[in-house]
Amino acid sequence: RDLHSFPTRRSSDLSGGIRAARAQAVPQPAANGRTIESIEFKGLKALSEDTLRYYLGLEPGQPLDEEALNRNLKQLWARNLVDDVQVESVPTPAGVRLVITVAERPILRSIDYQGLKRISKTDLQDKLTTQRIRVHEGEPLSLGELQRVKALIEELYGEKGYRFATAQYTVEDVGPNEKKVVFKVDEGDRVRIRSEEHTSELQSHHD
């Protein structure tokens, strides 16, 4: 059969940048303008077919518009709902059949902090909001945002004198495409630092 592939592009020469370009579909000329006979979705878990059709602006019976599809794919990518999208077109006597394969981002179901003693969760949450770090239960999970949380925790401990405090996190499966994140904080030894400063002060007074 004649199969037209709309591969996901990962090049950095697109105006939308590398991140947006990953959801860039490139229909073949033979498919553009042909009537969409049907749409098949693969890989959907949390997202519904109706939601994807809405975001992509695709409806059976309408002509395939490659420029509109590219724009909609970029907008879908910007919503941080998917990691990858691939669109294939299969010519049919009535027009074209679209097969859309989606790799959804996992949903964060819960986040827990262990060993967080010198900083309250409320203070941490306030800082997350101030710095616009998006780590919210029920929303798509971003590993990049988890790294920002890790850096923030270590920064806040450093401000309190715990220069050797470290934060690590683990991501666990709790259901189909659902994750649980656990941060473990090692506060380090602040007493040693105070002792050295105290010793330094005694030596200074002695001199």
PDB file of all heavy atoms in Angstrom, residues 106-114 121 134-137 139-143 145-147 149-150 153 168-174 178-184:
ATOM      1  N   PRO A 106       3.901  11.297  31.432  1.00  0.00           N
ATOM      2  CA  PRO A 106       3.250  10.676  32.590  1.00  0.00           C
ATOM      3  C   PRO A 106       2.661  11.737  33.514  1.00  0.00           C
ATOM      4  O   PRO A 106       3.119  12.879  33.557  1.00  0.00           O
ATOM      5  CB  PRO A 106       4.396   9.916  33.271  1.00  0.00           C
ATOM      6  CG  PRO A 106       5.639  10.614  32.816  1.00  0.00           C
ATOM      7  CD  PRO A 106       5.358  11.078  31.420  1.00  0.00           C
ATOM      8  N   ILE A 107       1.641  11.343  34.261  1.00  0.00           N
ATOM      9  CA  ILE A 107       0.972  12.242  35.195  1.00  0.00           C
ATOM     10  C   ILE A 107       1.585  12.080  36.592  1.00  0.00           C
ATOM     11  O   ILE A 107       1.828  10.966  37.055  1.00  0.00           O
ATOM     12  CB  ILE A 107      -0.535  11.949  35.254  1.00  0.00           C
ATOM     13  CG1 ILE A 107      -1.161  12.127  33.860  1.00  0.00           C
ATOM     14  CG2 ILE A 107      -1.224  12.854  36.268  1.00  0.00           C
ATOM     15  CD1 ILE A 107      -1.040  13.526  33.303  1.00  0.00           C
ATOM     16  N   LEU A 108       1.861  13.203  37.245  1.00  0.00           N
ATOM     17  CA  LEU A 108       2.366  13.175  38.615  1.00  0.00           C
ATOM     18  C   LEU A 108       1.194  12.965  39.568  1.00  0.00           C
ATOM     19  O   LEU A 108       0.331  13.828  39.698  1.00  0.00           O
ATOM     20  CB  LEU A 108       3.080  14.490  38.943  1.00  0.00           C
ATOM     21  CG  LEU A 108       3.569  14.650  40.383  1.00  0.00           C
ATOM     22  CD1 LEU A 108       4.583  13.567  40.731  1.00  0.00           C
ATOM     23  CD2 LEU A 108       4.154  16.039  40.602  1.00  0.00           C
ATOM     24  N   ARG A 109       1.160  11.800  40.206  1.00  0.00           N
ATOM     25  CA  ARG A 109       0.059  11.494  41.115  1.00  0.00           C
ATOM     26  C   ARG A 109       0.351  11.946  42.543  1.00  0.00           C
ATOM     27  O   ARG A 109      -0.561  12.325  43.285  1.00  0.00           O
ATOM     28  CB  ARG A 109      -0.243   9.996  41.098  1.00  0.00           C
ATOM     29  CG  ARG A 109      -1.088   9.567  39.932  1.00  0.00           C
ATOM     30  CD  ARG A 109      -2.385  10.339  39.880  1.00  0.00           C
ATOM     31  NE  ARG A 109      -3.079  10.202  38.597  1.00  0.00           N
ATOM     32  CZ  ARG A 109      -3.857  11.112  38.080  1.00  0.00           C
ATOM     33  NH1 ARG A 109      -4.024  12.264  38.698  1.00  0.00           N
ATOM     34  NH2 ARG A 109      -4.456  10.919  36.925  1.00  0.00           N
ATOM     35  N   SER A 110       1.610  11.881  42.955  1.00  0.00           N
ATOM     36  CA  SER A 110       1.936  12.332  44.305  1.00  0.00           C
ATOM     37  C   SER A 110       3.403  12.721  44.381  1.00  0.00           C
ATOM     38  O   SER A 110       4.226  12.237  43.607  1.00  0.00           O
ATOM     39  CB  SER A 110       1.639  11.238  45.351  1.00  0.00           C
ATOM     40  OG  SER A 110       2.517  10.128  45.170  1.00  0.00           O
ATOM     41  N   ILE A 111       3.707  13.633  45.311  1.00  0.00           N
ATOM     42  CA  ILE A 111       5.085  14.046  45.550  1.00  0.00           C
ATOM     43  C   ILE A 111       5.295  14.114  47.054  1.00  0.00           C
ATOM     44  O   ILE A 111       4.469  14.669  47.783  1.00  0.00           O
ATOM     45  CB  ILE A 111       5.392  15.398  44.864  1.00  0.00           C
ATOM     46  CG1 ILE A 111       6.851  15.797  45.088  1.00  0.00           C
ATOM     47  CG2 ILE A 111       4.458  16.497  45.350  1.00  0.00           C
ATOM     48  CD1 ILE A 111       7.293  16.961  44.215  1.00  0.00           C
ATOM     49  N   ASP A 112       6.395  13.516  47.518  1.00  0.00           N
ATOM     50  CA  ASP A 112       6.654  13.427  48.949  1.00  0.00           C
ATOM     51  C   ASP A 112       8.076  13.896  49.227  1.00  0.00           C
ATOM     52  O   ASP A 112       8.974  13.732  48.387  1.00  0.00           O
ATOM     53  CB  ASP A 112       6.455  11.984  49.434  1.00  0.00           C
ATOM     54  CG  ASP A 112       6.526  11.879  50.950  1.00  0.00           C
ATOM     55  OD1 ASP A 112       6.214  12.872  51.634  1.00  0.00           O
ATOM     56  OD2 ASP A 112       6.897  10.801  51.452  1.00  0.00           O
ATOM     57  N   TYR A 113       8.265  14.480  50.414  1.00  0.00           N
ATOM     58  CA  TYR A 113       9.584  14.962  50.811  1.00  0.00           C
ATOM     59  C   TYR A 113       9.982  14.266  52.106  1.00  0.00           C
ATOM     60  O   TYR A 113       9.278  14.350  53.111  1.00  0.00           O
ATOM     61  CB  TYR A 113       9.571  16.479  51.031  1.00  0.00           C
ATOM     62  CG  TYR A 113       9.191  17.272  49.796  1.00  0.00           C
ATOM     63  CD1 TYR A 113       7.865  17.647  49.575  1.00  0.00           C
ATOM     64  CD2 TYR A 113      10.150  17.640  48.857  1.00  0.00           C
ATOM     65  CE1 TYR A 113       7.514  18.369  48.446  1.00  0.00           C
ATOM     66  CE2 TYR A 113       9.809  18.359  47.727  1.00  0.00           C
ATOM     67  CZ  TYR A 113       8.484  18.716  47.535  1.00  0.00           C
ATOM     68  OH  TYR A 113       8.140  19.426  46.405  1.00  0.00           O
ATOM     69  N   GLN A 114      11.124  13.572  52.075  1.00  0.00           N
ATOM     70  CA  GLN A 114      11.627  12.882  53.251  1.00  0.00           C
ATOM     71  C   GLN A 114      12.913  13.554  53.723  1.00  0.00           C
ATOM     72  O   GLN A 114      13.780  13.890  52.921  1.00  0.00           O
ATOM     73  CB  GLN A 114      11.894  11.412  52.930  1.00  0.00           C
ATOM     74  CG  GLN A 114      10.652  10.638  52.504  1.00  0.00           C
ATOM     75  CD  GLN A 114      10.949   9.192  52.144  1.00  0.00           C
ATOM     76  OE1 GLN A 114      12.094   8.741  52.211  1.00  0.00           O
ATOM     77  NE2 GLN A 114       9.914   8.443  51.761  1.00  0.00           N
ATOM     78  N   LYS A 121       7.426  22.669  54.301  1.00  0.00           N
ATOM     79  CA  LYS A 121       6.858  22.423  52.971  1.00  0.00           C
ATOM     80  C   LYS A 121       6.139  23.666  52.451  1.00  0.00           C
ATOM     81  O   LYS A 121       6.108  23.917  51.246  1.00  0.00           O
ATOM     82  CB  LYS A 121       5.911  21.230  53.020  1.00  0.00           C
ATOM     83  CG  LYS A 121       6.609  19.901  53.269  1.00  0.00           C
ATOM     84  CD  LYS A 121       5.626  18.739  53.237  1.00  0.00           C
ATOM     85  CE  LYS A 121       6.334  17.420  53.481  1.00  0.00           C
ATOM     86  NZ  LYS A 121       5.401  16.270  53.458  1.00  0.00           N
ATOM     87  N   ARG A 134       6.820  24.329  37.919  1.00  0.00           N
ATOM     88  CA  ARG A 134       5.542  23.628  37.820  1.00  0.00           C
ATOM     89  C   ARG A 134       5.703  22.148  38.166  1.00  0.00           C
ATOM     90  O   ARG A 134       6.105  21.343  37.341  1.00  0.00           O
ATOM     91  CB  ARG A 134       4.955  23.782  36.421  1.00  0.00           C
ATOM     92  CG  ARG A 134       4.588  25.236  36.068  1.00  0.00           C
ATOM     93  CD  ARG A 134       3.871  25.298  34.731  1.00  0.00           C
ATOM     94  NE  ARG A 134       2.641  24.521  34.753  1.00  0.00           N
ATOM     95  CZ  ARG A 134       1.484  24.968  35.221  1.00  0.00           C
ATOM     96  NH1 ARG A 134       1.406  26.172  35.735  1.00  0.00           N
ATOM     97  NH2 ARG A 134       0.407  24.207  35.181  1.00  0.00           N
ATOM     98  N   VAL A 135       5.418  21.845  39.419  1.00  0.00           N
ATOM     99  CA  VAL A 135       5.390  20.461  39.872  1.00  0.00           C
ATOM    100  C   VAL A 135       4.116  20.307  40.690  1.00  0.00           C
ATOM    101  O   VAL A 135       4.089  20.564  41.892  1.00  0.00           O
ATOM    102  CB  VAL A 135       6.629  20.119  40.723  1.00  0.00           C
ATOM    103  CG1 VAL A 135       6.575  18.668  41.180  1.00  0.00           C
ATOM    104  CG2 VAL A 135       7.905  20.353  39.929  1.00  0.00           C
ATOM    105  N   HIS A 136       3.042  19.921  40.012  1.00  0.00           N
ATOM    106  CA  HIS A 136       1.739  19.851  40.661  1.00  0.00           C
ATOM    107  C   HIS A 136       1.125  18.463  40.467  1.00  0.00           C
ATOM    108  O   HIS A 136       1.166  17.912  39.354  1.00  0.00           O
ATOM    109  CB  HIS A 136       0.783  20.903  40.095  1.00  0.00           C
ATOM    110  CG  HIS A 136       1.293  22.306  40.215  1.00  0.00           C
ATOM    111  ND1 HIS A 136       1.569  22.898  41.419  1.00  0.00           N
ATOM    112  CD2 HIS A 136       1.586  23.235  39.266  1.00  0.00           C
ATOM    113  CE1 HIS A 136       1.999  24.124  41.228  1.00  0.00           C
ATOM    114  NE2 HIS A 136       2.030  24.349  39.927  1.00  0.00           N
ATOM    115  N   GLU A 137       0.566  17.920  41.526  1.00  0.00           N
ATOM    116  CA  GLU A 137      -0.101  16.630  41.433  1.00  0.00           C
ATOM    117  C   GLU A 137      -1.278  16.724  40.473  1.00  0.00           C
ATOM    118  O   GLU A 137      -2.030  17.698  40.486  1.00  0.00           O
ATOM    119  CB  GLU A 137      -0.567  16.186  42.818  1.00  0.00           C
ATOM    120  CG  GLU A 137       0.588  15.911  43.774  1.00  0.00           C
ATOM    121  CD  GLU A 137       0.120  15.511  45.157  1.00  0.00           C
ATOM    122  OE1 GLU A 137      -1.106  15.515  45.387  1.00  0.00           O
ATOM    123  OE2 GLU A 137       0.976  15.204  46.011  1.00  0.00           O
ATOM    124  N   GLU A 139      -0.882  16.833  37.208  1.00  0.00           N
ATOM    125  CA  GLU A 139      -0.439  17.445  35.958  1.00  0.00           C
ATOM    126  C   GLU A 139       0.696  16.616  35.346  1.00  0.00           C
ATOM    127  O   GLU A 139       1.328  15.807  36.032  1.00  0.00           O
ATOM    128  CB  GLU A 139       0.031  18.884  36.196  1.00  0.00           C
ATOM    129  CG  GLU A 139      -1.083  19.833  36.596  1.00  0.00           C
ATOM    130  CD  GLU A 139      -0.623  21.276  36.620  1.00  0.00           C
ATOM    131  OE1 GLU A 139       0.564  21.540  36.318  1.00  0.00           O
ATOM    132  OE2 GLU A 139      -1.456  22.155  36.938  1.00  0.00           O
ATOM    133  N   PRO A 140       0.972  16.820  34.050  1.00  0.00           N
ATOM    134  CA  PRO A 140       2.079  16.092  33.412  1.00  0.00           C
ATOM    135  C   PRO A 140       3.397  16.339  34.129  1.00  0.00           C
ATOM    136  O   PRO A 140       3.674  17.457  34.583  1.00  0.00           O
ATOM    137  CB  PRO A 140       2.096  16.654  31.987  1.00  0.00           C
ATOM    138  CG  PRO A 140       0.697  17.116  31.751  1.00  0.00           C
ATOM    139  CD  PRO A 140       0.215  17.636  33.073  1.00  0.00           C
ATOM    140  N   LEU A 141       4.205  15.296  34.219  1.00  0.00           N
ATOM    141  CA  LEU A 141       5.476  15.348  34.939  1.00  0.00           C
ATOM    142  C   LEU A 141       6.599  15.766  34.011  1.00  0.00           C
ATOM    143  O   LEU A 141       6.720  15.261  32.888  1.00  0.00           O
ATOM    144  CB  LEU A 141       5.782  13.970  35.539  1.00  0.00           C
ATOM    145  CG  LEU A 141       7.122  13.789  36.250  1.00  0.00           C
ATOM    146  CD1 LEU A 141       7.193  14.698  37.463  1.00  0.00           C
ATOM    147  CD2 LEU A 141       7.291  12.331  36.657  1.00  0.00           C
ATOM    148  N   SER A 142       7.434  16.689  34.489  1.00  0.00           N
ATOM    149  CA  SER A 142       8.593  17.142  33.730  1.00  0.00           C
ATOM    150  C   SER A 142       9.856  16.870  34.542  1.00  0.00           C
ATOM    151  O   SER A 142      10.001  17.368  35.669  1.00  0.00           O
ATOM    152  CB  SER A 142       8.494  18.645  33.416  1.00  0.00           C
ATOM    153  OG  SER A 142       9.733  19.152  32.938  1.00  0.00           O
ATOM    154  N   LEU A 143      10.774  16.076  33.976  1.00  0.00           N
ATOM    155  CA  LEU A 143      12.025  15.784  34.684  1.00  0.00           C
ATOM    156  C   LEU A 143      12.863  17.050  34.848  1.00  0.00           C
ATOM    157  O   LEU A 143      13.600  17.197  35.822  1.00  0.00           O
ATOM    158  CB  LEU A 143      12.813  14.712  33.932  1.00  0.00           C
ATOM    159  CG  LEU A 143      12.146  13.335  33.845  1.00  0.00           C
ATOM    160  CD1 LEU A 143      13.041  12.360  33.097  1.00  0.00           C
ATOM    161  CD2 LEU A 143      11.840  12.798  35.240  1.00  0.00           C
ATOM    162  N   GLU A 145      11.716  20.003  35.507  1.00  0.00           N
ATOM    163  CA  GLU A 145      11.199  20.719  36.676  1.00  0.00           C
ATOM    164  C   GLU A 145      11.646  20.043  37.971  1.00  0.00           C
ATOM    165  O   GLU A 145      11.895  20.721  38.971  1.00  0.00           O
ATOM    166  CB  GLU A 145       9.677  20.798  36.613  1.00  0.00           C
ATOM    167  CG  GLU A 145       9.139  21.617  35.444  1.00  0.00           C
ATOM    168  CD  GLU A 145       9.520  23.090  35.534  1.00  0.00           C
ATOM    169  OE1 GLU A 145      10.650  23.431  35.089  1.00  0.00           O
ATOM    170  OE2 GLU A 145       8.730  23.895  36.031  1.00  0.00           O
ATOM    171  N   LEU A 146      11.763  18.714  37.963  1.00  0.00           N
ATOM    172  CA  LEU A 146      12.251  18.025  39.156  1.00  0.00           C
ATOM    173  C   LEU A 146      13.687  18.432  39.468  1.00  0.00           C
ATOM    174  O   LEU A 146      14.065  18.580  40.638  1.00  0.00           O
ATOM    175  CB  LEU A 146      12.169  16.507  38.963  1.00  0.00           C
ATOM    176  CG  LEU A 146      10.761  15.898  38.851  1.00  0.00           C
ATOM    177  CD1 LEU A 146      10.858  14.388  38.747  1.00  0.00           C
ATOM    178  CD2 LEU A 146       9.891  16.304  40.034  1.00  0.00           C
ATOM    179  N   GLN A 147      14.481  18.625  38.438  1.00  0.00           N
ATOM    180  CA  GLN A 147      15.861  19.089  38.651  1.00  0.00           C
ATOM    181  C   GLN A 147      15.865  20.480  39.269  1.00  0.00           C
ATOM    182  O   GLN A 147      16.714  20.806  40.106  1.00  0.00           O
ATOM    183  CB  GLN A 147      16.619  19.102  37.316  1.00  0.00           C
ATOM    184  CG  GLN A 147      17.004  17.720  36.799  1.00  0.00           C
ATOM    185  CD  GLN A 147      18.095  17.068  37.635  1.00  0.00           C
ATOM    186  OE1 GLN A 147      18.770  17.710  38.410  1.00  0.00           O
ATOM    187  NE2 GLN A 147      18.258  15.759  37.473  1.00  0.00           N
ATOM    188  N   VAL A 149      13.545  21.662  41.264  1.00  0.00           N
ATOM    189  CA  VAL A 149      13.163  21.491  42.666  1.00  0.00           C
ATOM    190  C   VAL A 149      14.368  21.061  43.486  1.00  0.00           C
ATOM    191  O   VAL A 149      14.623  21.592  44.578  1.00  0.00           O
ATOM    192  CB  VAL A 149      12.029  20.454  42.807  1.00  0.00           C
ATOM    193  CG1 VAL A 149      11.723  20.206  44.286  1.00  0.00           C
ATOM    194  CG2 VAL A 149      10.777  20.928  42.088  1.00  0.00           C
ATOM    195  N   LYS A 150      15.119  20.118  42.978  1.00  0.00           N
ATOM    196  CA  LYS A 150      16.335  19.638  43.654  1.00  0.00           C
ATOM    197  C   LYS A 150      17.298  20.796  43.925  1.00  0.00           C
ATOM    198  O   LYS A 150      17.796  20.962  45.037  1.00  0.00           O
ATOM    199  CB  LYS A 150      17.012  18.568  42.792  1.00  0.00           C
ATOM    200  CG  LYS A 150      18.452  18.241  43.181  1.00  0.00           C
ATOM    201  CD  LYS A 150      19.057  17.242  42.208  1.00  0.00           C
ATOM    202  CE  LYS A 150      20.581  17.234  42.290  1.00  0.00           C
ATOM    203  NZ  LYS A 150      21.065  16.795  43.610  1.00  0.00           N
ATOM    204  N   ILE A 153      15.899  23.206  46.684  1.00  0.00           N
ATOM    205  CA  ILE A 153      16.024  22.679  48.050  1.00  0.00           C
ATOM    206  C   ILE A 153      17.453  22.871  48.554  1.00  0.00           C
ATOM    207  O   ILE A 153      17.687  23.345  49.675  1.00  0.00           O
ATOM    208  CB  ILE A 153      15.628  21.196  48.104  1.00  0.00           C
ATOM    209  CG1 ILE A 153      14.123  21.034  47.840  1.00  0.00           C
ATOM    210  CG2 ILE A 153      15.989  20.587  49.456  1.00  0.00           C
ATOM    211  CD1 ILE A 153      13.666  19.599  47.738  1.00  0.00           C
ATOM    212  N   GLN A 168      17.977  14.363  46.597  1.00  0.00           N
ATOM    213  CA  GLN A 168      17.866  13.399  45.507  1.00  0.00           C
ATOM    214  C   GLN A 168      16.400  13.008  45.361  1.00  0.00           C
ATOM    215  O   GLN A 168      15.626  13.097  46.315  1.00  0.00           O
ATOM    216  CB  GLN A 168      18.722  12.152  45.785  1.00  0.00           C
ATOM    217  CG  GLN A 168      20.189  12.440  46.039  1.00  0.00           C
ATOM    218  CD  GLN A 168      20.911  12.974  44.810  1.00  0.00           C
ATOM    219  OE1 GLN A 168      20.489  12.705  43.684  1.00  0.00           O
ATOM    220  NE2 GLN A 168      21.990  13.722  45.020  1.00  0.00           N
ATOM    221  N   TYR A 169      16.032  12.568  44.165  1.00  0.00           N
ATOM    222  CA  TYR A 169      14.643  12.163  43.980  1.00  0.00           C
ATOM    223  C   TYR A 169      14.573  10.853  43.207  1.00  0.00           C
ATOM    224  O   TYR A 169      15.459  10.510  42.427  1.00  0.00           O
ATOM    225  CB  TYR A 169      13.827  13.239  43.259  1.00  0.00           C
ATOM    226  CG  TYR A 169      14.278  13.548  41.850  1.00  0.00           C
ATOM    227  CD1 TYR A 169      13.830  12.791  40.769  1.00  0.00           C
ATOM    228  CD2 TYR A 169      15.152  14.602  41.596  1.00  0.00           C
ATOM    229  CE1 TYR A 169      14.237  13.059  39.476  1.00  0.00           C
ATOM    230  CE2 TYR A 169      15.571  14.881  40.308  1.00  0.00           C
ATOM    231  CZ  TYR A 169      15.108  14.121  39.259  1.00  0.00           C
ATOM    232  OH  TYR A 169      15.522  14.388  37.979  1.00  0.00           O
ATOM    233  N   THR A 170      13.497  10.133  43.461  1.00  0.00           N
ATOM    234  CA  THR A 170      13.207   8.902  42.722  1.00  0.00           C
ATOM    235  C   THR A 170      11.820   9.022  42.116  1.00  0.00           C
ATOM    236  O   THR A 170      10.944   9.697  42.667  1.00  0.00           O
ATOM    237  CB  THR A 170      13.260   7.672  43.638  1.00  0.00           C
ATOM    238  OG1 THR A 170      12.322   7.840  44.714  1.00  0.00           O
ATOM    239  CG2 THR A 170      14.656   7.478  44.212  1.00  0.00           C
ATOM    240  N   VAL A 171      11.635   8.380  40.977  1.00  0.00           N
ATOM    241  CA  VAL A 171      10.345   8.383  40.280  1.00  0.00           C
ATOM    242  C   VAL A 171       9.851   6.949  40.216  1.00  0.00           C
ATOM    243  O   VAL A 171      10.534   6.071  39.684  1.00  0.00           O
ATOM    244  CB  VAL A 171      10.474   8.981  38.863  1.00  0.00           C
ATOM    245  CG1 VAL A 171       9.124   8.984  38.169  1.00  0.00           C
ATOM    246  CG2 VAL A 171      11.054  10.394  38.922  1.00  0.00           C
ATOM    247  N   GLU A 172       8.671   6.708  40.767  1.00  0.00           N
ATOM    248  CA  GLU A 172       8.135   5.355  40.845  1.00  0.00           C
ATOM    249  C   GLU A 172       6.808   5.260  40.087  1.00  0.00           C
ATOM    250  O   GLU A 172       6.040   6.225  40.030  1.00  0.00           O
ATOM    251  CB  GLU A 172       7.906   4.964  42.311  1.00  0.00           C
ATOM    252  CG  GLU A 172       9.139   5.125  43.195  1.00  0.00           C
ATOM    253  CD  GLU A 172       8.817   4.928  44.663  1.00  0.00           C
ATOM    254  OE1 GLU A 172       7.660   4.538  44.964  1.00  0.00           O
ATOM    255  OE2 GLU A 172       9.694   5.183  45.509  1.00  0.00           O
ATOM    256  N   ASP A 173       6.558   4.098  39.511  1.00  0.00           N
ATOM    257  CA  ASP A 173       5.281   3.840  38.842  1.00  0.00           C
ATOM    258  C   ASP A 173       4.205   3.559  39.884  1.00  0.00           C
ATOM    259  O   ASP A 173       4.418   2.775  40.807  1.00  0.00           O
ATOM    260  CB  ASP A 173       5.393   2.636  37.905  1.00  0.00           C
ATOM    261  CG  ASP A 173       6.309   2.915  36.721  1.00  0.00           C
ATOM    262  OD1 ASP A 173       6.366   4.071  36.276  1.00  0.00           O
ATOM    263  OD2 ASP A 173       6.969   1.968  36.237  1.00  0.00           O
ATOM    264  N   VAL A 174       3.060   4.201  39.731  1.00  0.00           N
ATOM    265  CA  VAL A 174       1.931   3.924  40.628  1.00  0.00           C
ATOM    266  C   VAL A 174       0.680   3.527  39.849  1.00  0.00           C
ATOM    267  O   VAL A 174      -0.350   3.206  40.430  1.00  0.00           O
ATOM    268  CB  VAL A 174       1.612   5.144  41.523  1.00  0.00           C
ATOM    269  CG1 VAL A 174       2.750   5.411  42.478  1.00  0.00           C
ATOM    270  CG2 VAL A 174       1.323   6.380  40.679  1.00  0.00           C
ATOM    271  N   GLU A 178       1.304   6.816  35.290  1.00  0.00           N
ATOM    272  CA  GLU A 178       1.220   7.657  36.486  1.00  0.00           C
ATOM    273  C   GLU A 178       2.459   7.433  37.339  1.00  0.00           C
ATOM    274  O   GLU A 178       2.922   6.301  37.483  1.00  0.00           O
ATOM    275  CB  GLU A 178      -0.035   7.334  37.293  1.00  0.00           C
ATOM    276  CG  GLU A 178      -1.329   7.632  36.541  1.00  0.00           C
ATOM    277  CD  GLU A 178      -2.556   7.308  37.367  1.00  0.00           C
ATOM    278  OE1 GLU A 178      -2.429   6.553  38.356  1.00  0.00           O
ATOM    279  OE2 GLU A 178      -3.634   7.804  37.030  1.00  0.00           O
ATOM    280  N   LYS A 179       2.983   8.527  37.889  1.00  0.00           N
ATOM    281  CA  LYS A 179       4.238   8.457  38.629  1.00  0.00           C
ATOM    282  C   LYS A 179       4.105   9.055  40.028  1.00  0.00           C
ATOM    283  O   LYS A 179       3.303   9.961  40.270  1.00  0.00           O
ATOM    284  CB  LYS A 179       5.342   9.222  37.881  1.00  0.00           C
ATOM    285  CG  LYS A 179       5.582   8.750  36.457  1.00  0.00           C
ATOM    286  CD  LYS A 179       6.171   7.359  36.389  1.00  0.00           C
ATOM    287  CE  LYS A 179       6.478   6.962  34.936  1.00  0.00           C
ATOM    288  NZ  LYS A 179       7.059   5.605  34.844  1.00  0.00           N
ATOM    289  N   LYS A 180       4.923   8.533  40.917  1.00  0.00           N
ATOM    290  CA  LYS A 180       5.078   9.079  42.261  1.00  0.00           C
ATOM    291  C   LYS A 180       6.522   9.543  42.409  1.00  0.00           C
ATOM    292  O   LYS A 180       7.454   8.828  42.032  1.00  0.00           O
ATOM    293  CB  LYS A 180       4.765   8.010  43.318  1.00  0.00           C
ATOM    294  CG  LYS A 180       5.116   8.420  44.745  1.00  0.00           C
ATOM    295  CD  LYS A 180       4.891   7.277  45.709  1.00  0.00           C
ATOM    296  CE  LYS A 180       5.294   7.655  47.127  1.00  0.00           C
ATOM    297  NZ  LYS A 180       5.108   6.539  48.079  1.00  0.00           N
ATOM    298  N   VAL A 181       6.707  10.745  42.936  1.00  0.00           N
ATOM    299  CA  VAL A 181       8.054  11.299  43.115  1.00  0.00           C
ATOM    300  C   VAL A 181       8.342  11.425  44.608  1.00  0.00           C
ATOM    301  O   VAL A 181       7.509  11.935  45.374  1.00  0.00           O
ATOM    302  CB  VAL A 181       8.193  12.675  42.434  1.00  0.00           C
ATOM    303  CG1 VAL A 181       9.550  13.296  42.754  1.00  0.00           C
ATOM    304  CG2 VAL A 181       8.029  12.538  40.926  1.00  0.00           C
ATOM    305  N   VAL A 182       9.511  10.958  45.015  1.00  0.00           N
ATOM    306  CA  VAL A 182       9.936  11.067  46.406  1.00  0.00           C
ATOM    307  C   VAL A 182      11.278  11.785  46.451  1.00  0.00           C
ATOM    308  O   VAL A 182      12.256  11.326  45.843  1.00  0.00           O
ATOM    309  CB  VAL A 182      10.061   9.684  47.078  1.00  0.00           C
ATOM    310  CG1 VAL A 182      10.561   9.829  48.512  1.00  0.00           C
ATOM    311  CG2 VAL A 182       8.722   8.953  47.049  1.00  0.00           C
ATOM    312  N   PHE A 183      11.317  12.917  47.143  1.00  0.00           N
ATOM    313  CA  PHE A 183      12.568  13.637  47.376  1.00  0.00           C
ATOM    314  C   PHE A 183      13.129  13.219  48.726  1.00  0.00           C
ATOM    315  O   PHE A 183      12.407  13.199  49.730  1.00  0.00           O
ATOM    316  CB  PHE A 183      12.332  15.155  47.370  1.00  0.00           C
ATOM    317  CG  PHE A 183      12.321  15.767  46.001  1.00  0.00           C
ATOM    318  CD1 PHE A 183      11.135  15.872  45.301  1.00  0.00           C
ATOM    319  CD2 PHE A 183      13.490  16.223  45.414  1.00  0.00           C
ATOM    320  CE1 PHE A 183      11.113  16.435  44.036  1.00  0.00           C
ATOM    321  CE2 PHE A 183      13.481  16.787  44.152  1.00  0.00           C
ATOM    322  CZ  PHE A 183      12.290  16.895  43.461  1.00  0.00           C
ATOM    323  N   LYS A 184      14.412  12.882  48.756  1.00  0.00           N
ATOM    324  CA  LYS A 184      15.083  12.537  50.005  1.00  0.00           C
ATOM    325  C   LYS A 184      16.191  13.561  50.244  1.00  0.00           C
ATOM    326  O   LYS A 184      17.064  13.749  49.403  1.00  0.00           O
ATOM    327  CB  LYS A 184      15.665  11.116  49.933  1.00  0.00           C
ATOM    328  CG  LYS A 184      14.596  10.042  49.811  1.00  0.00           C
ATOM    329  CD  LYS A 184      15.187   8.648  49.807  1.00  0.00           C
ATOM    330  CE  LYS A 184      14.086   7.584  49.703  1.00  0.00           C
ATOM    331  NZ  LYS A 184      14.657   6.206  49.699  1.00  0.00           N
TER     332      LYS A 184
END
